[in-house]
Amino acid sequence: MITQILGGLAGIGLGAACIALLVWLRRVTPKALQPVPGRARPSFYDVPAGTRWLTCYTLTCARMTMPHVPIEDGVGWRCTNCGHTTTGAM
């Protein structure tokens, strides 16, 4: 019975050593952090004045909070993702 316990502990130690070796071999290097070819980088833009983050209930936005910009007539906001308009007091 003691040999089974010691064998199990030795097996755990050997397994941990193998995992540590694999992690060390795949350590984070500048080469590993290169961008994936063909994947677009995120684009950033200036948020217009008066933009509000409102919940959009359309199927396109799926009840997510999206930026809504003010509509020209001043009675609501337009979703920047799907174009749906929300009315309300500004």
Side-chain angles (χ1 to χ4, degrees), residues 3-73:
T3 55
Q4 291 176 345
I5 294 172
L6 291 175
L9 290 175
I12 291 172
L14 182 60
C18 289
I19 290 172
L21 179 62
L22 290 174
V23 169
W24 179 75
L25 290 174
R26 295 184 52 115
R27 67 188 182 276
V28 177
T29 62
K31 183 178 179 182
L33 296 176
Q34 294 295 323
V36 177
R39 182 175 290 178
R41 291 187 170 263
S43 60
F44 298 97
Y45 60 92
D46 293 328
V47 178
T51 301
R52 292 188 177 181
W53 289 81
L54 302 172
T55 304
C56 193
Y57 294 101
T58 60
L59 292 175
T60 305
C61 295
R63 295 181 65 180
M64 299 294 290
T65 303
M66 297 289 175
H68 287 66
V69 294
I71 299 175
E72 293 78 24
D73 59 3

Side-chain angles (χ1 to χ4, degrees), residues 52 54 68-71 73-78 85-90:
R52 292 188 177 181
L54 302 172
H68 287 66
V69 294
I71 299 175
D73 59 3
V75 295
W77 295 272
R78 181 179 313 279
T85 58
T86 303
T87 58
M90 298 191 112

